[in-house]
Amino acid sequence: MSRESSISEGGGWVQWFCAMEDHQFLCEVDDEFIRDNFNLYGLKSKFNFYNEALDLILSSETPDDEDLEDERFLEVYQEATDLYGLIHARFIITAKGLSMMKEKYLGGKFGACPRVLCERQNVLPVGMSEELRTSRVKVFCPRCEEVYIPKKKCPDVDGAYFGCSFPSIFLMNFIQEVQIPANNQTYVPRVFGFRIYKKKGSRYQDTQQKVAEITHYSEEQLKKLRGKNDQQAKEDYVQK
């Protein structure tokens, strides 16, 4: 199927893919954005079936049961999902993409912060790496500024589909429209009403302890994660 003959007039692969269960974090990227080669710069080298995957993304047809049982189709389909995800990460930091994500955020589509003192503050999707198959999508709370696993695990949504910078860009663009309450509450652990020595809130709080600042996975952390993923894959294979 050629790109020219697959212009979607009312849906197509993108709409079908974004409507799938657990894909509620994703928005529908415009065909026009996907067809602009400038927006795809540097992506071709990451995929074995780049042209076929791009044709599938731009297709006006949706896969049927027969397609989903074809091994060759599934190879292209997997690459199409990852290619769409990387295009999506670029689209959601454009003016139109940010506007679409704002509607989802205000509607609570990304969920709420699990921290009790954040009082169900809406969260934003974030990736811990720009690289595919490093970690699944996480959520960032703009109130406590911490990262959590989403309530809906989204098992096949890669963090790279959003990238590391999206929440910061989003909040800088909508600082007036999106009011974030001040994070002026903190939980202080106690034993029978007494604060705990060298713990938060104690007069003798340990201020010498160094806190590591993390905005994305470092190379060292990536190596550890890849090692764990390889080990898990081996265990899954043995269990089968």
Side-chain angles (χ1 to χ4, degrees):
M1 184 181 295
S2 69
R3 252 170 268 167
E4 287 72 16
S5 64
S6 61
I7 298 174
S8 172
E9 294 181 356
W13 188 91
V14 171
Q15 188 179 62
W16 170 82
F17 181 71
C18 292
M20 291 176 69
E21 188 177 3
D22 296 336
H23 286 188
Q24 70 273 18
F25 284 14
L26 299 170
C27 66
E28 295 180 23
V29 181
D30 293 344
D31 275 9
E32 184 180 350
F33 184 89
I34 299 171
R35 292 176 187 279
D36 188 336
N37 288 330
F38 177 79
N39 299 324
L40 310 181
Y41 180 78
L43 296 181
K44 189 171 186 178
S45 61
K46 297 178 183 289
F47 300 95
N48 296 320
F49 306 111
Y50 175 82
N51 290 326
E52 296 95 323
L54 191 56
D55 285 339
L56 181 59
I57 291 170
L58 291 168
S59 174
S60 59
E61 300 174 2
T62 58
D64 55 27
D65 292 339
E66 188 176 331
D67 289 328
L68 297 174
E69 292 175 0
D70 183 271
E71 288 187 14
R72 165 68 177 178
F73 175 85
L74 290 176
E75 285 183 325
V76 175
Y77 171 77
Q78 182 56 55
E79 293 218 340
T81 62
D82 286 340
L83 176 58
Y84 180 79
L86 295 183
I87 295 170
H88 180 271
R90 298 180 178 189
F91 176 72
I92 59 174
I93 58 175
T94 65
K96 185 169 185 178
L98 284 167
S99 178
M100 292 169 71
M101 295 297 274
K102 184 180 78 169
E103 292 304 311
K104 283 179 172 284
Y105 170 80
L106 294 175
K109 299 296 184 182
F110 305 129
C113 181
R115 179 175 177 265
V116 173
L117 297 180
C118 283
E119 300 172 331
R120 298 196 59 78
Q121 168 67 47
N122 285 348
V123 293
L124 291 160
V126 66
M128 294 299 289
S129 173
E130 305 289 349
E131 298 298 321
L132 289 165
R133 288 175 288 283
T134 299
S135 73
R136 298 187 183 103
V137 65
K138 304 295 187 290
V139 290
F140 170 81
C141 174
R143 187 166 179 177
C144 66
E145 298 185 336
E146 291 290 351
V147 174
Y148 302 94
I149 295 172
K151 187 174 181 180
K152 270 202 166 185
K153 298 272 180 89
C154 306
D156 60 343
V157 179
D158 200 296
Y161 296 0
F162 300 88
C164 305
S165 303
F166 169 69
S168 299
I169 294 172
F170 179 91
L171 293 169
M172 284 191 293
N173 275 271
F174 300 120
I175 193 168
Q176 299 300 327
E177 294 106 310
V178 179
Q179 297 294 324
I180 309 298
N183 182 28
N184 54 9
Q185 299 182 85
T186 185
Y187 174 76
V188 177
R190 296 171 184 262
V191 175
F192 301 123
F194 295 98
R195 296 181 180 185
I196 303 171
Y197 178 68
K198 283 196 172 182
K199 290 291 185 182
K200 183 169 55 177
S202 166
R203 179 180 176 184
Y204 302 100
Q205 182 175 350
D206 188 355
T207 57
Q208 302 302 315
Q209 187 178 1
K210 292 183 179 179
V211 178
E213 295 183 355
I214 298 174
T215 55
H216 61 277
Y217 287 138
S218 65
E219 286 300 319
E220 186 178 344
Q221 289 169 320
L222 287 174
K223 286 178 184 177
K224 289 180 181 178
L225 281 170
R226 289 183 186 122
K228 288 181 181 178
N229 290 341
D230 291 344
Q231 182 61 33
Q232 185 63 51
K234 290 177 184 176
E235 292 174 2
D236 292 344
Y237 179 76
V238 170
Q239 289 173 2
K240 288 178 183 177

